Amino acid sequence: MSAQKERAGQTPQKPKRGGRPSKCDAERLQTVILDTAEKMFLSKGFGDTSIEAIAAAAGTAKKTIYARFGSKEGLFIAVDERILAKPDKRSISAEGSFEERLVATSLAMLSRMLQPKLVRIYSIVTGEAQRFPDLARRGEYATAFPARRALRELLAQGHESGEIIVDDLQRATELLETMVNMAPLNWTILGVKKMDSAAQEDWVRSAVALFLNGCKRR
């Protein structure tokens, strides 16, 4: 039959193959799922958003989402980490004194955390912490935040060079991050205070100075 079609000037069609989607299709579906989940989580919150609704809006199946992310908590954290991983407009300088570099890194972290999407994510996590404790625990250890990694690396460099003394690098990073972020985040969520860039820098310089006073060599 194919030989007859070729003689008639027709090219026989190759049979369609089933099976796994291409890498490009898989990446495109991943983006659609995350875009859809981000929009729904930010607008409805975590508790009022279902995997069924996300799957329907994304044009896929629940089992596909579970296969990729494991659970609704896993999908939420993937959304959180993707937002955190987006590059910030504020650059982190590698020059200047250790204190100035620490201020620049901390300021980049704070300005990122005060962006509307991350403020909303944080308010969702804290609001749902009692009903969904796994969500809070997983969110606390999100690994994709560039400024958090940069802060830890900078503190490690300061310890190695003798600029500061820290017994526990992880704890030192968490303490400084808390000093820089927590009050401004809570003020923003509650609408108590809105911090412009000058107020953010003033706050960060005070936090870094206080932190360094506690861990500099005596």
Side-chain angles (χ1 to χ4, degrees):
M1 178 66 71
S2 61
Q4 293 176 353
K5 287 184 177 181
E6 288 177 358
R7 284 195 296 270
Q10 299 178 11
T11 302
Q13 294 182 352
K14 293 182 180 180
K16 292 182 179 180
R17 296 181 179 179
R20 298 172 63 86
S22 68
K23 182 179 179 181
C24 183
D25 288 339
E27 291 176 351
R28 187 181 300 112
L29 178 58
Q30 184 91 346
T31 299
V32 170
I33 292 171
L34 288 171
D35 286 346
T36 304
E38 178 182 314
K39 182 177 179 180
M40 296 184 75
F41 280 135
L42 292 179
S43 62
K44 296 184 177 182
F46 181 81
D48 291 333
T49 300
S50 67
I51 291 292
E52 291 86 347
I54 293 172
T60 189
K62 289 191 301 180
K63 65 180 182 180
T64 300
I65 295 179
Y66 283 119
R68 289 168 178 261
F69 301 99
S71 63
K72 188 168 77 165
E73 289 89 346
L75 177 56
F76 183 89
I77 296 303
V79 168
D80 181 18
E81 292 193 335
R82 189 177 70 152
I83 295 173
L84 282 169
K86 290 180 180 177
D88 191 77
K89 294 180 180 179
R90 185 187 295 271
S91 60
I92 300 176
S93 175
E95 301 179 353
S97 67
F98 176 70
E99 182 171 357
E100 285 302 316
R101 285 181 287 135
L102 200 55
V103 166
T105 303
S106 299
L107 188 55
M109 178 175 60
L110 178 59
S111 66
R112 190 84 175 96
M113 287 303 300
L114 292 184
Q115 292 182 0
K117 283 186 179 180
L118 286 176
V119 171
R120 175 62 176 149
I121 288 285
Y122 179 76
S123 65
I124 290 171
V125 171
T126 54
E128 301 284 6
Q130 290 189 334
R131 286 201 299 165
F132 303 101
D134 287 344
L135 179 66
R137 283 194 291 269
R138 294 186 66 178
E140 179 63 23
Y141 294 100
T143 58
F145 195 5
R148 176 181 288 174
R149 294 197 304 271
L151 187 64
R152 181 185 173 91
E153 291 169 2
L154 184 54
L155 290 178
Q157 293 169 13
H159 179 67
E160 291 172 3
S161 67
E163 294 272 3
I164 57 174
I165 301 175
V166 290
D167 297 325
D168 186 329
L169 181 60
Q170 179 63 32
R171 176 170 292 185
T173 304
E174 291 173 352
L175 284 170
L176 180 54
E177 185 176 349
T178 299
M179 292 170 67
V180 168
N181 287 338
M182 287 303 100
L185 261 175
N186 289 328
W187 290 334
T188 302
I189 290 171
L190 297 174
V192 174
K193 185 186 297 186
K194 186 174 182 180
M195 302 180 75
D196 59 18
S197 58
Q200 290 177 30
E201 181 171 353
D202 183 62
W203 174 265
V204 166
R205 287 191 177 280
S206 296
V208 168
L210 186 61
F211 175 83
L212 289 179
N213 282 336
C215 57
K216 278 188 173 179
R217 288 187 179 278
R218 301 300 182 191

